[in-house]
Amino acid sequence: MTIEDRKEHFIKLGDFLANYELNPHKKPVIKDDYWDIYNELNEKIDAAIHYNGWFTRENVIFSLQQWSEALTRESLDQWLDRYDLSKIEPKTLGIVMAGNIPLVGFHDFISVLLAGHKVVAKLSGNDKQLMPVIARFLTRLDPEYKDRIRFTDNKLEDFDAVIATGSNNTARYFEYYFSKVPSIIRKNRNSVAILTGKETPEDLEALGEDIFRYYGLGCRNVSKLYVPESYNFDDFFKAIYKWNPIINQAKYANNYDYNKAVYLMSEFKLLENGFLILKEDSGYSSPIATLFYETYENPEALGEHLKNESEKLQCIVKKDPDDNEVKFGHTQKPQLWDYADNVDTMEFLLKI
């Protein structure tokens, strides 16, 4: 199986995933050989919602659509052409996946396979329905994937290197347990947005996508705002009002009510609009249904501060992003070369 073969397989996977739509009237375009997999994945989408109360069909479909848009020939070439994958000696990569948002470990999965290595993946119990069906689709394209992809519910064994994602606490365990093999260990990270007060309603509406998609559970979700002194939040609240139905999700509403009660009893000064709490706080990791904010005076000083805090941050979002920053509305639409934690996964895979 050559790198060109593998590219073709993932282009076909992207085409296949494009058939999953929220619009019930749009007819999928499926070859006869793949209808059974299409129907199985459709069933697993519904099953995933039952296994994880934070998953909704809308969010799972959103994830599938983003991967469909990413897995194009142009994007794959732009991503992979910078690497020499011709001399890789195949190894087995263990991947420990998180389960906070749908298919959160998929980039590691495709990176390992495209590099020519084998995968043994330990899926999170919160997100274990979808990936095996996608693996079956790849195996239908080429039976060789049957020997290249393995899932396990037990501890990882028989691997040459590992990519593991978890909390700061589990990362310490990962660092000890995987200390004898090459590894990428990912910890907690958060994303922030910088506002200047000159944003248009459209800019702020797009920011709502960065805040609320997946209920804010992803490391790429904005969990904190930096705003100028005396910033007026009225325009911000107006722009994000389209997201108000989110309060109808019981788990989100419970978090909103609980956090609001705790903050009020502690006599914190709050701003809120019925579905989002704004709390002034120097931290990054805001609770569900809460967004931290902090004021700044000097944009240059703020930029230097965030540069020094880079190990805690996944994305910095603003209207006119510089290199390694993200524009409003795009945190959950990363390119294939936008690596988590700014660690070049493919470069790692080349060197093991």
Side-chain angles (χ1 to χ4, degrees):
M1 191 189 297
T2 67
I3 179 58
E4 292 305 320
D5 292 333
R6 299 193 293 273
K7 281 185 187 178
E8 288 296 329
H9 298 153
F10 281 93
I11 291 167
K12 290 179 180 179
L13 175 61
D15 292 339
F16 177 74
L17 296 179
N19 287 290
Y20 292 91
E21 290 274 352
L22 289 173
N23 181 359
H25 303 295
K26 185 172 181 179
K27 186 176 180 180
V29 181
I30 308 291
K31 292 183 178 179
D32 290 343
D33 291 346
Y34 303 111
W35 267 106
D36 60 328
I37 297 178
Y38 172 81
N39 291 328
E40 182 183 5
L41 185 53
N42 224 355
E43 293 170 1
K44 291 299 184 181
I45 292 171
D46 293 329
I49 296 167
H50 293 296
Y51 275 89
N52 188 333
W54 289 110
F55 284 13
T56 64
R57 187 169 184 85
E58 177 185 357
N59 279 335
V60 175
I61 295 295
F62 178 88
S63 178
L64 295 177
Q65 289 174 342
Q66 297 315 304
W67 281 112
S68 171
E69 292 173 12
L71 294 174
T72 64
R73 184 179 305 281
E74 180 182 7
S75 291
L76 284 165
D77 286 343
Q78 187 172 347
W79 176 32
L80 298 176
D81 283 355
R82 68 189 75 178
Y83 306 102
D84 181 5
L85 302 177
S86 62
K87 299 178 181 179
I88 283 185
E89 182 180 336
K91 302 286 180 64
T92 298
L93 266 292
I95 305 179
V96 180
M97 298 188 181
N100 49 324
I101 66 175
L103 293 175
V104 67
F106 194 56
H107 190 274
D108 294 331
F109 178 81
I110 68 171
S111 296
V112 172
L113 292 175
L114 282 164
H117 296 303
K118 297 180 180 181
V119 168
V120 52
K122 183 173 177 59
L123 303 177
S124 166
N126 290 326
D127 185 23
K128 64 189 304 182
Q129 306 299 313
L130 309 176
M131 199 78 76
V133 186
I134 292 174
R136 279 193 280 280
F137 176 83
L138 292 171
T139 302
R140 189 72 60 85
L141 292 176
D142 191 321
E144 192 173 329
Y145 283 111
K146 189 172 184 180
D147 295 324
R148 291 178 177 239
I149 302 171
R150 179 164 55 92
F151 299 103
T152 180
D153 291 325
N154 303 313
K155 69 177 183 179
L156 288 180
E157 295 179 334
D158 302 323
F159 54 87
D160 301 300
V162 70
I163 302 172
T165 304
S167 67
N168 289 343
N169 287 332
T170 56
R172 287 194 290 269
Y173 165 77
F174 290 153
E175 287 169 350
Y176 171 78
Y177 186 75
F178 300 125
S179 60
K180 296 181 180 179
V181 297
S183 65
I184 295 176
I185 307 296
R186 301 201 180 101
K187 305 177 184 179
N188 288 347
R189 292 213 179 199
N190 296 100
S191 297
V192 302
I194 301 173
L195 304 184
T196 65
K198 298 179 181 179
E199 290 77 17
T200 66
E202 292 76 19
D203 292 332
L204 296 175
E205 183 176 337
L207 176 59
E209 178 75 28
D210 302 322
I211 296 168
F212 294 107
R213 176 62 60 186
Y214 305 127
Y215 300 103
L217 291 168
C219 63
R220 297 182 67 89
N221 285 105
V222 168
S223 58
K224 180 173 183 173
L225 303 179
Y226 284 95
V227 299
E229 295 280 354
S230 304
Y231 181 81
N232 188 333
F233 282 98
D234 287 349
D235 289 340
F236 170 77
F237 277 131
K238 289 176 185 176
I240 66 168
Y241 188 72
K242 62 172 284 187
W243 285 92
N244 76 89
I246 199 170
I247 199 66
N248 296 324
Q249 208 273 10
K251 290 173 73 68
Y252 183 92
N254 290 340
N255 277 270
Y256 175 86
D257 292 339
Y258 173 80
N259 290 321
K260 182 178 177 181
V262 169
Y263 292 150
L264 289 175
M265 286 189 295
S266 301
E267 299 184 352
F268 288 118
K269 182 181 177 181
L270 304 176
L271 298 170
E272 56 97 13
N273 64 350
F275 62 92
L276 179 68
I277 301 165
L278 286 179
K279 177 180 179 287
E280 189 167 8
D281 198 297
S282 62
Y284 295 114
S285 185
S286 57
I288 293 168
T290 302
L291 193 64
F292 289 162
Y293 73 93
E294 196 170 348
T295 60
Y296 68 92
E297 295 181 4
N298 186 308
E300 288 75 22
L302 174 60
E304 189 63 27
H305 168 72
L306 295 179
K307 182 179 179 181
N308 293 334
E309 296 280 275
S310 61
E311 290 192 359
K312 300 177 183 178
L313 301 177
Q314 194 67 258
C315 301
I316 297 175
V317 186
K318 59 184 183 182
K319 182 179 176 69
D320 297 309
D322 298 321
D323 290 342
N324 297 321
E325 296 178 338
V326 183
K327 64 181 180 180
F328 295 134
H330 283 72
T331 60
Q332 299 301 340
K333 302 176 181 180
Q335 301 291 341
L336 292 170
W337 49 88
D338 290 332
Y339 292 108
D341 299 4
N342 259 340
V343 176
D344 190 323
T345 309
M346 195 59 72
E347 190 67 31
F348 168 78
L349 295 172
L350 284 169
K351 293 179 178 178
I352 58 173

